Structures are given as C-alpha cells and as structure tokens.
C-alpha cells in the first residue's frame, strides 16, 4: 500500500514536471510596439551605477589576489575613478541624471580589522558633498562583491561570527556619511556572490560546495538584516532609506516540456533568484538545490531551511538588478536562444519582457522598488539603443499597471572591469580608452539621454 502510494506520488511529480504547461516565458511582439509610448511618475529618479573595484583602480582586496591567482586580466588602474571622480561628475551632468549609485571600498576604509582610515573616509565624504553640490543624489553601496583581505582570511561570510565585522564597518560608514547619502544599499547581489564564488568558482573563493553556498547566502541575508537593525538604532537611522540590490536571473527550460531542462532551471532559479525574494516576503529562507534527488550531505546538493520572522521589516525599498533570463538546454550543456533573439556580448539575449516579469515578482515583497542596475554589454554599440528603449518601455508598462517603481539606475556610467570577463565587456554609456583615460559618450547612449530629457521637461 505504502509502496503504491510512493509510486503514485512519484508519478504525479513526474506528470507535473513534464506536462506541457503554458510557457511562463512572456514574449511581446516588438514589431507592434511603439517604445516611445512610455510614461514615468513625477519625481522618478534617473541614475547610473558603478562599483568601487570595477572603476576606482588600485584596490587591494580579495579580488586583487583572485585576479592574480586565476590569471584573469588584472583590474589595475581601471577607470582611475578614485582620482578622477570629481571630474567625472561632468559625465553625470552630460547624461542629465539626477542620481549616482556607487560603492565604498571596504578594504580602503578598514584595511585592518578595527582600524579605520580617516583619509579614505574623507575621500568618500568629500565626493558625496561634491555630488550633492552638483544636484546629484547619492545611492551608496556598502558591499559590492569585494572583501578586505583580513576578512576573507577569516572565512568571510562562510562564518556567522564574521557578520559582526561587516556590521561594525557599515555602522562606521553610516555615522560618517549619513548626512550626505540619500539611499543605502547594504549588499549588492548576495545570491550572485554566492553563486559565482561557491558554485561556479569564477569569483573568490572559488569553491563548489552547495551546503556551504547555502550558509553563505543565509549569512548574507542575516548580515543585511543586522546592518539594517544596527543603523535604525543610530540617532539619524530612523530616517535612512536602506535596501538591498538583488539580481533576478530567470533560469528557464529551453525545451519547455523537457524534464531535465525544467528541473535544473527550477533549481538554479530557486537559489539564485527566488529564495531571496521569498526571504524578504515571508521571512522563510529555503535554499534547495537538487533536494528532490538527494540528501543534503553531498557537496552538489543542498536543502537548508530557516525562519527569520523580522526579514520583511528589514527593508525600506527593494533594489532590483535585472539583465535577462537564461534558457537552459541540458542537451547542449549550456544556455540557448529562441529564434529571433538579439544576443548581447554576454551569454544572454535582450529580453525586456523578463524585466517586466521581475518587477512583478519583487513587488511581492511589498516595498517601493528602485532599479539599481540594468544595461547591456555591447562593444559594437549597435544594440544599446534597442536595449534602452525596450527595457524602459517594459518598466513603464509595469508602472502603468500600478507597480511601485521609483527610480532607474543604468549599469554602467562607463566601461569598467567586468570581473571574470576583464575589460572585454563594454557596459558603459561612456566608452573609456583605458590608456588615455578619455571618456566618450556612445551614440547608442543617446536613447537614455533623450528619455531623461523628455521626462524632466514634462515634470
Ligand atoms: C553584477 C554586478 C555588476 C556587474 C554588472 C554587469 O551584476 O555582477 O552588480 O558588478 O558588473 O551586473 O554584469
């Protein structure tokens, strides 16, 4: 009897996984869409994003060591933005944006555990003041993938006891900069940090261990919440707007009725995108990878559940980073494309419908949404304008349906160091000549400039 029940259960599971469900992949007919038909709320924020290690140059952190170890192209002087940040304000003005998202480099501010470098703090403070004087709002990220070497050597976010170091750092930064920062992002893309560093091995520390990955992501969630609570306790903390930047990457089955494509993409989608949204929505952290198939002990599977009831209260806004979906084709052993897809220079296509879907998904958390990153790697600059028009159209559609999106930050202000891809990927609205450090506005970026201009005039 029990056996029959078990077989029946397995059979039902098989049916649900293989039954030709309606595709969740939304597709619009772009030939019939006029991307000029958009509208954005009054006071909508337009900005651009960067991160310290990718633009500042001459950082010394876990990534500097990792680049050497992996023989990646070194980040080196990058855009020399550390020295040129004041003159780069002119680039923001040229675009017409009113906000700038960038990150403070933890390894500069706290080069040794508990030792804060006042000169570096002043550097960031002066810069925030200069931005304010130029009429630019500041969205400051405290952690954008890099760790000071001392923190990495302690095991970084693998250990719960290390979280306090991050809380101390964030508290210090908040105390020093609270009056010159408009929005705070605690951690950039915690799930990507976990996935690239503990599954795909392309980011430090380059381990493949799913149970450890689940711990790291859980500790990052906890770190965010503890920072949020610590800041809210501070004198100026009540008024601070604090969020997290989470990347929604929709892994989906390339062959919609194929069991393997479906199961594998669902597992990836869960750990990379959905479990973080679920955490802030319900307080439940469910990190499951392959748990249908195996016990948790094996390094290639994970099944970790924990409940943190305060999570939904630990956010003032949700930062959404969105690029595209990934269509998994197990037969090919990689991502795949639909007919007619316009590919980017990274392994994904232009898929603005996914942006619309992602906005809907993260709205379930119930907080105002800021788009903290969105942009195309396009060295030839022959798809940038299409990307900008389609994605802003998709965002406008979501807003028209009542989704509470309050701002959009393009990734990126200028070409920069794209981690394991080095300088090869060109995300910049401004093209950078890394020898002369000359910045030049790309033709395709004018689509962004035009939209901002149009909506500023309307307001
Ligand atoms: C990320 C980061 C950025 C990237 C950008 C383009 O998503 O990995 O936030 O540092 O450069 O997303 O891939």
């Amino acid at each position: 009897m029990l056996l029959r029940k078990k077989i029946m259960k397995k059979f039902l599971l098989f049916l649900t996984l293989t039954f030709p469900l309606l595709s969740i992949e939304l597709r619009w007919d772009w030939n019939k869409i006029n991307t000029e038909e958009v509208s954005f709320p009054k006071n909508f924020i337009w900005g651009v994003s960067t991160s310290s290690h990718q633009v500042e140059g001459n950082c010394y952190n876990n990534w500097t060591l990792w680049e050497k170890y992996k023989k990646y192209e070194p980040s080196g002087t990058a855009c020399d933005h550390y020295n040129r940040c004041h003159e780069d304000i002119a680039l923001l003005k040229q675009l017409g944006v009113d906000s700038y998202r960038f990150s403070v480099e933890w390894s500069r501010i706290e080069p040794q555990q508990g030792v804060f470098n006042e000169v570096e703090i002043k550097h960031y403070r002066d810069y925030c003041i200069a931005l304010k004087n130029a009429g630019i709002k500041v969205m400051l990220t405290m952690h954008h993938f890099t760790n000071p070497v001392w923190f990495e050597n302690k095991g970084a976010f693998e250990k719960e006891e290390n979280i306090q170091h991050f809380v101390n750092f964030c508290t210090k930064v908040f105390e020093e900069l609270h009056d010159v920062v408009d929005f705070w992002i605690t951690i950039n893309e915690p799930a990507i940090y976990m996935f690239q560093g503990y599954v795909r091995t392309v980011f430090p520390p380059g381990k493949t261990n799913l149970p450890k990955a689940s711990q790291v992501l859980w500790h990052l969630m906890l770190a965010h919440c503890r920072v949020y609570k610590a800041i809210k306790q501070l004198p100026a903390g009540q008024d601070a707007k604090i969020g997290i930047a989470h990347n929604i990457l929709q892994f989906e089955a390339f062959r919609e009725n194929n069991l393997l494509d479906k199961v594998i993409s669902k597992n990836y989608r869960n750990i990379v995108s959905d479990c973080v949204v679920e955490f802030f929505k319900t307080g439940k952290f469910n990190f499951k990878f392959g748990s249908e198939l195996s016990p948790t002990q094996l390094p290639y599977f994970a099944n970790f559940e924990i409940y943190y009831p305060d999570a939904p209260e630990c956010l003032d806004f949700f930062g959404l980073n969105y690029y595209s979906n990934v269509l998994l084709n197990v037969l090919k052993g990689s991502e795949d494309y639909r007919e007619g897809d316009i590919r980017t220079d990274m392994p994904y296509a232009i898929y603005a419908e996914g942006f619309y879907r992602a906005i809907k998904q993260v709205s379930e958390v119930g907080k105002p949404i800021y788009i903290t990153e969105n942009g195309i790697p396009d060295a030839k600059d022959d798809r940038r304008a299409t990307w900008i028009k389609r994605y802003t159209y998709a965002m406008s559609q979501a807003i028209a349906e009542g989704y509470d999106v309050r701002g959009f930050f393009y990734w990126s202000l200028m070409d920069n160091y794209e981690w394991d891809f080095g300088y090869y990927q060109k995300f910049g609205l401004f093209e950078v000549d890394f020898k002369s450090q000359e910045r030049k506005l790309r033709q395709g970026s004018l689509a962004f400039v035009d939209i901002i201009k149009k909506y500023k005039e309307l307001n």
Side-chain angles (χ1 to χ4, degrees):
M1 189 60 191
L2 200 69
L3 190 69
R4 256 186 38 208
K5 242 185 165 174
K6 264 192 170 168
I7 293 174
M8 201 55 199
K9 222 172 137 190
K10 284 246 147 93
F11 180 63
L12 280 175
L13 180 75
F14 179 78
L15 269 188
T16 28
L17 288 169
T18 51
F19 195 75
L21 291 169
L22 277 179
S23 166
I24 50 162
E25 229 191 290
L26 178 69
R27 294 274 163 179
W28 292 336
D29 183 352
W30 290 98
N31 294 320
K32 297 199 179 120
I33 288 176
N34 178 4
T35 53
E36 306 276 308
E37 280 173 13
V38 286
S39 92
F40 301 100
K42 216 175 156 80
N43 302 326
F44 193 77
I45 281 176
W46 294 100
V48 284
S49 294
T50 62
S51 90
S52 56
H53 189 82
Q54 296 180 271
V55 295
E56 282 185 346
N58 304 318
C59 296
Y60 179 74
N61 53 36
N62 64 328
W63 254 92
T64 325
L65 303 182
W66 182 247
E67 289 159 21
K68 270 202 196 116
Y69 172 71
K70 289 287 269 191
K71 301 196 171 60
Y72 287 163
E73 182 176 11
S75 52
T77 43
C79 312
D80 194 27
H81 189 59
Y82 184 83
N83 296 311
R84 294 166 194 258
C85 58
H86 288 268
E87 57 196 76
D88 284 340
I89 293 176
L91 307 181
L92 303 170
K93 298 307 272 180
Q94 197 179 335
L95 292 172
V97 294
D98 48 45
S99 304
Y100 182 37
R101 173 181 173 225
F102 63 100
S103 69
V104 282
E105 178 57 38
W106 185 3
S107 60
R108 288 190 198 276
I109 293 181
E110 194 180 359
Q112 290 168 45
Q113 186 189 327
V115 181
F116 293 99
N117 184 328
E118 300 299 329
V119 175
E120 296 292 354
I121 294 173
K122 187 172 181 312
H123 164 85
Y124 289 116
R125 188 173 168 81
D126 289 349
Y127 185 43
C128 290
I129 293 171
L131 286 163
K132 291 231 141 255
N133 291 341
I136 307 278
K137 288 191 183 66
V138 173
M139 182 180 271
L140 198 75
T141 310
M142 310 243 225
H143 188 276
H144 197 120
F145 292 157
T146 54
N147 295 324
V149 173
W150 63 263
F151 183 73
E152 187 79 355
N153 289 343
K154 281 179 170 296
F157 292 102
E158 288 176 24
K159 298 192 184 136
E160 188 179 338
E161 71 250 33
N162 290 343
I163 294 175
Q164 191 54 42
H165 298 299
F166 182 60
V167 177
N168 296 345
F169 162 69
C170 294
T171 306
K172 173 75 176 165
V173 172
F174 184 82
E175 281 169 346
E176 299 281 354
L177 303 183
H178 67 86
D179 55 331
V180 289
V181 169
D182 300 275
F183 300 94
W184 299 88
I185 298 282
T186 54
I187 300 169
N188 177 69
E189 299 189 355
I192 298 292
Y193 175 98
M194 169 281 295
F195 189 56
Q196 304 286 58
Y198 292 86
V199 180
R200 292 194 61 230
T201 73
V202 291
F203 280 20
K207 300 179 181 170
T208 297
N209 186 318
L210 263 299
K212 208 179 266 295
S214 69
Q215 290 306 299
V216 168
L217 187 54
W218 160 236
H219 293 153
L220 286 162
M221 295 294 96
L222 210 49
H224 164 84
C225 295
R226 288 189 185 160
V227 169
Y228 183 92
K229 288 180 178 181
I231 291 181
K232 291 287 168 173
Q233 299 287 316
L234 297 173
Q238 269 313 313
D239 298 333
K241 294 191 194 76
I242 309 170
I244 195 164
H246 175 54
N247 187 318
I248 293 285
L249 184 61
Q250 297 131 336
F251 288 94
E252 326 202 84
F254 176 72
R255 296 164 299 165
E256 286 164 358
N257 303 326
N258 180 278
L259 180 63
L260 271 181
D261 285 7
K262 279 175 77 167
V263 171
I264 294 179
S265 56
K266 180 172 159 278
N267 275 286
Y268 278 125
R269 201 164 60 235
N270 171 254
I271 63 166
V272 174
S273 295
D274 299 352
C275 75
V276 171
V277 178
E278 180 73 15
F279 176 70
F280 287 110
K281 189 175 146 193
T282 65
K284 288 185 194 140
F285 183 75
N286 277 330
F287 189 105
K288 292 182 188 298
F289 193 90
S291 48
E292 303 95 336
L293 308 170
S294 155
T296 56
Q297 291 84 341
L298 296 170
Y300 299 106
F301 302 95
N303 189 357
F304 178 70
E305 284 182 28
I306 198 158
Y307 181 45
Y308 186 82
D310 297 355
E313 297 314 313
C314 290
L315 269 186
D316 299 317
F317 65 91
F318 197 96
L320 168 64
N321 291 3
Y322 185 84
Y323 292 86
S324 190
N325 66 349
V326 175
L327 298 170
L328 280 184
N329 184 346
V330 177
L331 193 68
K332 231 178 112 183
S334 68
E335 74 285 344
D336 214 331
Y337 297 89
R338 300 266 179 248
E339 221 186 293
D341 270 352
I342 307 172
R343 297 193 194 190
T344 70
D345 296 348
M346 295 269 266
Y348 48 77
I350 296 185
Y351 180 53
E353 297 91 322
F355 186 29
Y356 167 83
R357 285 170 51 200
I359 291 171
K360 282 175 121 176
Q361 183 185 354
V362 305
S363 75
E364 288 174 18
V365 169
K367 303 287 173 185
I369 300 165
Y370 288 87
I371 309 306
T372 35
E373 278 180 38
N374 175 262
I376 183 175
D378 174 18
K380 289 197 194 127
D381 195 34
D382 55 1
R383 290 145 290 168
R384 190 164 275 102
T386 304
W387 175 289
I388 291 167
K389 287 179 188 164
R390 288 192 184 181
Y391 280 71
T392 47
Y393 174 84
M395 177 169 69
S396 160
Q397 283 295 112
I399 293 171
E401 287 174 32
Y403 294 97
D404 188 9
V405 185
R406 301 198 182 169
F408 176 92
F409 290 75
Y410 191 87
W411 183 275
S412 181
L413 168 62
M414 56 189 147
D415 292 339
N416 58 48
Y417 186 69
E418 181 57 23
W419 311 110
D420 46 319
F421 287 93
Y423 288 104
Y424 168 75
Q425 299 294 351
K426 307 292 184 192
F427 276 93
L429 290 170
F430 284 88
E431 183 182 356
V432 176
D433 176 334
F434 288 98
K435 284 208 182 85
S436 66
Q437 287 297 345
E438 193 196 335
R439 284 92 157 108
K440 209 164 83 204
L441 187 66
R442 286 198 163 93
Q443 196 61 27
S445 312
L446 292 174
F448 189 54
V449 177
D450 287 348
I451 293 171
I452 300 173
K453 213 168 139 211
K454 192 165 151 199
Y455 283 92
K456 282 230 168 111
E457 276 162 14
L458 281 179
N459 282 323

